[in-house]
Structures are given as structure tokens and as C-alpha cells.
Amino acid sequence: MENIQELLAAKKDQFLEELLELLRIPSVSADPAFKEDVLNCATHVKGRLEALGLPVVEICPTAGYPIVYAETKQRADRPTILVYGHYDVQPPDPLDLWTSPPFEPVIKATELHPEGAIFARGSCDDKGQMYMHVKAMEILNDLGGDYPCNVKFLIEGEEEIGSDNLEIFVRENEERLSCDIILISDTSMIANETPSLTVGLRGMSYVEVEVTGPNRDLHSGVYGGAVDNPINVLAEMITSLKDEDRRINIPGFYDDVLELSDEERAKLADRPFDYEEYCKDLDIAQTRGEAGYSATEQTSIRPTLDVNGMWGGYIGEGAKTVLPSKAYAKISMRLVPNQSSEKITELFQNHFNAIAPPSVKVKVTPHHGGEPAMTPIDSVGFRAASKAMKETFGKEPIPTREGGSIPIVALFAEVLKANTVLMGFGLDSDAIHSPNEHYGVFNYFKGIETIPLFHKYFAELSK
């Protein structure tokens, strides 16, 4: 293992160019216009896994986009790691805010990444982080190919749209996917100088709402003032969903929220966090979340409700005096331990219908959901990851809770009865899901350097 850095140095250009090639494939799962690109990306990932010489590499069809599955030769005397990742990416919109085309990756230096960052959609979420595991296996091959652990790869193409078909696949392939630990790199660290390991994820309830007023678009002069405007109504309804303390006004919403003790909140506050730098990075004067909680708590241990998009009426060039027939919004709710996505979705539906005035009709369409997840810090997997990161970063990683969601983590715990290690190497500032998403070159190679050590220490600590 002491030769990892030497091997990495020799293959740096190759490993970087391979990632750029992967990033050029616009595998946007949410938009049917990119269907062929998503399928091509699955084939591309399969080819990269085949290049490792693994005995099993295949594309597994689903009702949606396929899953790429692979495994090493399985030895009964060694523990098994299931590596999960996804090859699909978020839509790149709005395109005019990108400083370079989203699927034409470029490497540019930034304040946080003086050695360069890869700007492209999917660079951090999750192609760059997923591909670290593929290249880590190549390093293990170069070290002799006597893998410390059995390894299975499960790379899906629908993470960004809810992983519905992956759930079916996991339940139907429980024995095939059996493992001792799941390893995921789809999270972030505090900073390049402050490594961390994610031990908690929020869940998700995602819905779309439609408000309908008159049976057609109307002239706003002829009918305005008498006929209710669906956009106005929708704005009023959304505004009512939170009170003056930014608490969510849905009856029963907080019933199952797991409250942290003062001691647990104090530990969370120990993580390095510069509030002024946080606001400066976002170009905002201050944060404005739920009263009584810090910014780090608001983004990790508290549930949220946010409008992700809202539209209706005329939005073209110039003016059109129209009173629209319909208005729409997409709304996501991040959930914390003990909350159920199914229950929250039902509570939202009931409440949104109840607060609608009789002048409009309301339709709520659930899109996807996922459950919150926690990782025990006394597990073999966490200790192996901590030891590996300490060796490559020179510092003990800090356990943190993250505001994002990876719905499949809770399912893995339920079906496969295995813990998940969330060993991500991105930064919160990498603009995932936003224009100008990027991933540090340092972070990419630090991940490839660390992952083989996780395999080593997981094997040693599992004995």
C-alpha cells in the first residue's frame, strides 16, 4: 500500500482524461430528451469496469434506466464491500449561468482549488466520486490484484429521479447483493484541510402542485379583480406553509422529529464553521432559517420545506396581459430521523387541499421520496474509513450530519442488513445541482488514494 502515491503520480493524466471523457456524456435522467445519452453512459461505465478484468460485469435492465453491476472473484475468507454510485446527473439548467458548457469539462483554478477544479455537470455528483472507486480498483490491480476484500459494484442511472427501480432490483437480488458494508462517495467534507465523514442524511418528500382557476387564460383587464388568479393563490398558499419563525405550518409535520440533546447539539457545534465566510461565498447578507437553530443545524438536523420551481402564465419576451388558468410549483421537504416520507407526503396533500380557497381546484402529485439515515460511529466500517482518511489527510476525520438525501441508504439497511459508510470527498461549495458544478483535482486523487486503504483496514478490522 505504500506505493499508492507513486502509482497515482504515474497515472494522473490517464485517470483525469478518463473522468473528462465520462463527464462529456450528458446522462440527464430527468429529461427524456437525453435517454440515449443515459443508456450510452451505462455502456461506458460497463466498459470501464470490464477493463479492470473483473469476472462479472453486466448491464441489468430495469423498468427505467439500467443498473451496471460488477464483482470481483468472491472469496469466503474475506469481507465484502458493496460500492454504490450513480452515473446519471441533474439537468444543467439554467444554461446561461454556466461559465463553460456543462458537458464540455474544463479544469480551472479557484480560491478553494488552486491546483484546479473540473467544471462540468456531474463532476462531483456523482461521476467524479463514483469513478474514484473504479480507479482505486485499478490501483489495487497494480499492487498485485490480491484484493483485501471482495468487492461488488452497484452503479445506477436513476438516483436523481428517486431510485424507484433500484429499490425493486435490491429487493429482488438480496442474496446477490449480500455484503458486510456498503461504501458510498456521494457526500462532502468540511474542507480539504478538515476531513470529515458523514454519519447522518436527511430524507426527502418531493411533490408537484397544480392550481387551476378559470377554464382558460383570460384577459387580465376584462376579468382581473373578479376572477381569482391561480398564480396569486398559489403564492398565498405557499407563503402560509411557514410561520414567522420559519416553522412549517402543516399539522403533524413535527410529530416524529427526533430532537437532539443539548450535548449532541454542542458536539455538532464543534465542527469548524465560519458564518461570515459562508454568507460571503453565497453573496447573501445573512441566513434566515428556523428560529432557535444555527445555520449548521438548520441544514442538517432540522426538516425543511422549499419551493424548487414555480411557474404559470406568460413568461416570454415583452408583455401579455393574461390572467392564467393554471399555476404550478415543485416543492421538496427534507426530513430528519424518525420522519416518514410517505406520512409527510400524505400530510402535505391533506393540508394543501384544505387551505385552497373555493375559487380554485388543487392537485398534488407526489414525485419521489426517501427516508433519513444514520451511520453508527462505533461500527467497523466507520473505524476503517476514519483510519484510512487519517492516513491520507494526516488528520482524524470529524463525524458530521449532512442536509442532502441518498434514499437508497435506508433501503440498504432494511433489505441487506448492512451499515453504510458515507466517505465523500467533495466540498459544499462545489455547486452540485447548480450551474458551474465542479470537483477539485486534489479531491479526486485524494479519494483514489484513500479508498484502497479503506479496503485494507476494513479487512483487518473485520477479523
Side-chain angles (χ1 to χ4, degrees), residues 403-416:
S405 306
I406 306 178
I408 200 66
V409 172
L411 181 73
F412 283 148
E414 175 196 343
V415 178
L416 303 182

Side-chain angles (χ1 to χ4, degrees), residues 68-115:
V68 183
Y69 177 81
E71 62 181 48
T72 61
K73 181 180 180 181
Q74 303 293 290
R75 295 178 53 170
D77 63 334
R78 303 194 178 184
T80 300
I81 299 170
L82 176 63
V83 175
Y84 165 83
H86 61 95
Y87 62 84
D88 66 320
V89 301
Q90 281 275 318
D93 311 79
L95 295 174
D96 60 321
L97 295 183
W98 284 80
T99 57
S100 55
F103 297 108
E104 296 177 19
V106 295
I107 299 175
K108 297 180 283 189
T110 71
E111 184 178 348
L112 292 178
H113 299 288
E115 75 298 320

Side-chain angles (χ1 to χ4, degrees), residues 251-280:
F253 189 90
Y254 291 95
D255 286 358
D256 300 321
V257 169
L258 180 65
E259 302 286 350
L260 269 66
S261 67
D262 290 342
E263 181 182 1
E264 289 172 313
R265 290 180 68 181
K267 287 182 179 178
L268 183 65
D270 280 343
R271 62 168 286 181
F273 179 74
D274 187 325
Y275 180 81
E276 290 185 2
E277 185 61 35
Y278 183 82
C279 292
K280 179 183 176 183

